[in-house]
Amino acid sequence: MSEVTYYVALPFVSSEDGIAPGEAVECFNPNAAVMRAEALSRKPGHVGPVAFSRTEDPATGDFGDATVIRKFGGVPNDLSAL
């Protein structure tokens, strides 16, 4: 079975500890993820969103590392700590 790639727009919101991820939105393709992330960047309360992709092997359930497509607003450069 082949791998499946998911495209996601993920907003970040202010929290007591800095910023925290909001509710992720799955998208059909990379362009849709970027467009959704851009729309989320204008939503009140959001620090900034990121559009990314992630590949899964359905046979094992293992996910590869996320690949950032585009960031908007105050999203930190290093997302590994979130």
Side-chain angles (χ1 to χ4, degrees), residues 54-80:
R54 196 160 187 200
T55 303
E56 176 194 23
D57 181 346
T60 63
D62 293 333
F63 280 92
D65 291 338
T67 301
V68 173
I69 301 168
R70 188 153 176 208
K71 294 186 287 186
F72 296 88
V75 178
N77 289 329
D78 182 12
L79 299 172
S80 63

Side-chain angles (χ1 to χ4, degrees), residues 1-69:
M1 186 174 255
S2 63
E3 294 182 330
V4 177
T5 300
Y6 298 95
Y7 301 98
V8 179
L10 178 66
F12 289 90
V13 296
S14 294
S15 73
E16 292 178 6
D17 298 327
I19 65 169
E23 185 175 341
V25 179
E26 188 175 345
C27 301
F28 292 109
N29 58 46
N31 290 336
V34 169
M35 289 177 17
R36 178 60 67 112
E38 182 181 18
L40 290 170
S41 73
R42 295 188 299 272
K43 190 170 181 181
H46 288 177
V47 174
V50 61
F52 69 92
S53 65
R54 196 160 187 200
T55 303
E56 176 194 23
D57 181 346
T60 63
D62 293 333
F63 280 92
D65 291 338
T67 301
V68 173
I69 301 168

